[in-house]
Amino acid sequence: DFKKDFKAFFNPPAKQVVEVDVPPFQFLMVEGRGAPEGQEYPDAIATLYPVVYTLKFALKPERDFAIGPLESLWWDDTPGGFNVARREGWKWIAMIVVPDFVTQDDLAAAVDKVRGKGKPAALLDRIRLETLDEGRCVQIMHIGPYDAETPTIRQLHDYMTDNGLSFRGKHHEIYLSDPRTTAPERMKTVIRQPVH
């Protein structure tokens, strides 16, 4: 269970930016572009979940794992790598962490199984298995709706400026709450930025 085994990376404080050294993690990934309320990002999510659950049940009980939270990398072509105001120009990778023992063959079998069931997973041909090695990062917990993240992101960037840190890698968000069942003001999102 990644959230329990690596608590420091999934549960930063909400009022204070912290520095962490994030080890490499393996993810199922789907890459695309456009605002999160567009069509492609929801399609990516609707592709990731059937595949990761199929993987989980194919590998248990010998190699069971808890399904991690949805995570996303966000960037665009502006200086600093991410302009929160230019949603239509955003690029992203939607992803779910999986254990290192998951192989490319496991993924291919899961994709074939999902495709065979005819489930709505529009981006199956774009799902991939890849390791992300972020290393030194700053992060903070945002509590509240997604569209109110700007002050939290600004606090993170101010910390970087005050401590002589510069951007490296992509803006990273980890969605710990289910927006279907959690009140917007109580939702928790880890905001992370790799730095050097």
Side-chain angles (χ1 to χ4, degrees):
D1 187 331
F2 289 92
K3 287 195 295 184
K4 291 181 180 177
D5 295 344
F6 300 96
K7 191 173 181 180
F9 308 126
F10 292 94
N11 193 30
K15 297 181 184 295
Q16 168 186 354
V17 177
V18 294
E19 297 188 30
V20 290
D21 191 7
V22 182
F25 287 113
Q26 181 171 248
F27 290 89
L28 295 182
M29 297 179 169
V30 176
E31 188 167 345
R33 70 177 299 150
E37 61 272 11
Q39 185 57 52
E40 199 167 71
Y41 186 71
D43 281 350
I45 296 169
T47 299
L48 284 168
Y49 277 104
V51 172
V52 76
Y53 275 99
T54 300
L55 269 173
K56 173 182 171 65
F57 290 112
L59 295 173
K60 69 185 301 187
E62 291 86 2
R63 298 179 292 168
D64 197 12
F65 63 95
I67 303 295
L70 176 68
E71 307 185 35
S72 291
L73 305 177
W74 300 92
W75 73 99
D76 60 21
D77 297 325
T78 58
F82 186 61
N83 183 337
V84 295
R86 292 186 63 252
R87 299 168 72 85
E88 71 284 349
W90 289 354
K91 301 174 185 177
W92 45 261
I93 299 174
M95 56 194 198
I96 297 175
V97 65
V98 292
D100 289 341
F101 57 68
V102 174
T103 68
Q104 297 290 348
D105 287 344
D106 294 330
L107 174 58
V111 167
D112 286 346
K113 192 163 190 178
V114 171
R115 185 178 282 116
K117 290 181 177 178
K119 291 189 174 183
L123 304 182
L124 274 177
D125 291 335
R126 285 160 55 181
I127 197 165
R128 68 182 193 258
L129 186 66
E130 189 173 303
T131 297
L132 179 66
D133 187 0
E134 290 182 297
R136 187 183 184 191
C137 297
V138 291
Q139 63 181 29
I140 189 171
M141 183 75 77
H142 170 74
I143 299 178
Y146 303 135
D147 59 8
E149 288 180 357
T150 301
T152 307
I153 295 171
R154 187 175 300 119
Q155 183 179 351
L156 191 80
H157 292 177
D158 288 346
Y159 176 93
M160 291 171 56
T161 299
D162 293 344
N163 289 274
L165 302 173
S166 55
F167 289 90
R168 179 186 57 79
K170 298 172 174 61
H171 175 91
H172 186 167
E173 299 189 357
I174 305 171
Y175 308 107
L176 300 178
S177 305
D178 185 341
R180 299 170 299 179
T181 57
T182 307
E185 67 274 9
R186 299 184 64 186
M187 293 199 303
K188 292 183 175 182
T189 305
V190 179
I191 309 292
R192 178 184 295 164
Q193 176 62 54
V195 296
H196 58 80

